[in-house]
Amino acid sequence: AQKITQTQPGMFVQEKEAVTLDCTYDTSDQSYGLFWYKQPSSGEMIFLIYQGSYDEQNATEGRYSLNFQKARKSANLVISASQLGDSAMYFCAMREGRTNFGNEKLTFGTGTRLTIIP
Amino acid sequence: NAGVTQTPKFRVLKTGQSMTLLCAQDMNHEYMYWYRQDPGMGLRLIHYSVGEGTTAKGEVPDGYNVSRLKKQNFLLGLESAAPSQTSVYFCASSYSLLREAPPHEQFFGPGTRLTVL
């Protein structure tokens, strides 16, 4: 079974609108972390936001917020007031387990290509 | 700080040739990783290291070897390249989970585009 599922291969959004990128995950661990990364056309991977499984509040970083619904095992990225520079691939990733050896790895989803339309 | 650097940026190999990709980080990170990125498949972990002299297999280790002789460097080797190893390779590094508070995000290098003919 896929551990990280991103069901939207591509999305087109009008500039200045808000956009939600979906991510669902599968784990039996109680302790885990969820990450979102951005990959612009230049290719580098840029860390955007993190949510810990025990965090009570949804994470926010500027225009990025993470809509964390633990019971549904979803961790959707919300970008408010989208800009042309937001056009990129977006990857959801998960780290499972506590700080024990073997739990340093990230599992990535297949990504969503977001295109912002002027 | 240069962050995470990768050498080379591009490489074309013939089937059966060997090569080594070099990753260097100047952030004193304990952990280092090698990923490959293929269209429609996201990033898949090849090998990783939690400290100098230690390495472990990831999701897709076959056909690759790694070494971490120095804390700041992580080498990925292809002994006999195959067309299936055509991909973009990313190196990443992060702090130890025991040392710092979350998120322990991974910092990525710019990638190496490898083509095997």
Side-chain angles (χ1 to χ4, degrees):
Chain A
Q2 293 283 342
K3 289 198 171 184
I4 295 287
T5 302
Q6 295 182 254
T7 57
Q8 306 152 311
M11 288 187 69
F12 291 84
V13 173
Q14 204 75 36
E15 189 180 6
K16 299 182 184 177
E17 289 185 350
V19 56
T20 298
L21 305 181
D22 295 341
C23 173
T24 57
Y25 58 92
D26 181 27
T27 181
S28 56
D29 288 335
Q30 296 301 309
S31 177
Y32 51 90
L34 297 155
F35 299 77
W36 278 92
Y37 279 84
K38 174 183 179 181
Q39 186 179 40
S41 57
S42 51
E44 72 270 30
M45 295 287 289
I46 303 167
F47 167 67
L48 294 178
I49 196 167
Y50 167 83
Q51 179 84 41
S53 59
Y54 292 118
D55 294 341
E56 293 184 352
Q57 293 191 330
N58 286 345
T60 60
E61 290 286 348
R63 293 186 301 112
Y64 304 108
S65 61
L66 203 152
N67 184 2
F68 182 47
Q69 297 188 41
K70 196 169 182 177
R72 297 180 61 185
K73 293 189 175 179
S74 75
N76 298 341
L77 177 69
V78 180
I79 306 174
S80 63
S82 58
Q83 302 171 356
L84 295 178
D86 294 332
S87 293
M89 281 288 288
Y90 289 81
F91 292 96
C92 180
M94 176 175 63
R95 177 194 293 125
E96 295 177 273
R98 289 191 172 273
T99 56
N100 296 320
F101 182 78
N103 295 328
E104 311 82 1
K105 304 183 294 295
L106 288 182
T107 301
F108 283 82
T110 53
T112 296
R113 182 171 297 281
L114 176 64
T115 302
I116 307 300
I117 305 167
Chain B
N1 285 354
V4 180
T5 57
Q6 293 182 229
T7 309
K9 289 186 169 50
F10 303 93
R11 186 72 185 266
V12 178
L13 289 179
K14 294 181 180 178
T15 297
Q17 288 185 320
S18 63
M19 78 162 294
T20 300
L21 281 67
L22 171 64
C23 176
Q25 52 94 7
D26 61 2
M27 295 174 281
N28 202 32
H29 286 166
E30 288 80 11
Y31 299 168
M32 296 187 75
Y33 312 81
W34 276 107
Y35 294 91
R36 60 177 289 172
Q37 183 178 23
D38 302 293
M41 301 192 73
L43 276 78
R44 293 182 293 168
L45 184 65
I46 305 171
H47 287 280
Y48 66 103
S49 168
V50 298
E52 186 177 320
T54 68
T55 62
K57 294 180 179 180
E59 181 185 355
V60 288
D62 293 342
Y64 305 95
N65 56 76
V66 289
S67 65
R68 190 153 178 218
L69 300 179
K70 294 183 178 181
K71 185 177 183 179
Q72 64 268 32
N73 295 338
F74 195 28
L75 278 65
L76 177 71
L78 286 73
E79 291 186 348
S80 180
S84 60
Q85 294 178 305
T86 293
S87 188
V88 179
Y89 291 85
F90 285 97
C91 176
S93 68
S94 67
Y95 283 117
S96 164
L97 300 183
L98 300 176
R99 176 180 163 183
E100 298 279 340
H104 305 106
E105 74 269 30
Q106 294 182 13
F107 293 79
F108 283 80
T112 294
R113 186 172 295 274
L114 175 67
T115 301
V116 183
L117 302 175

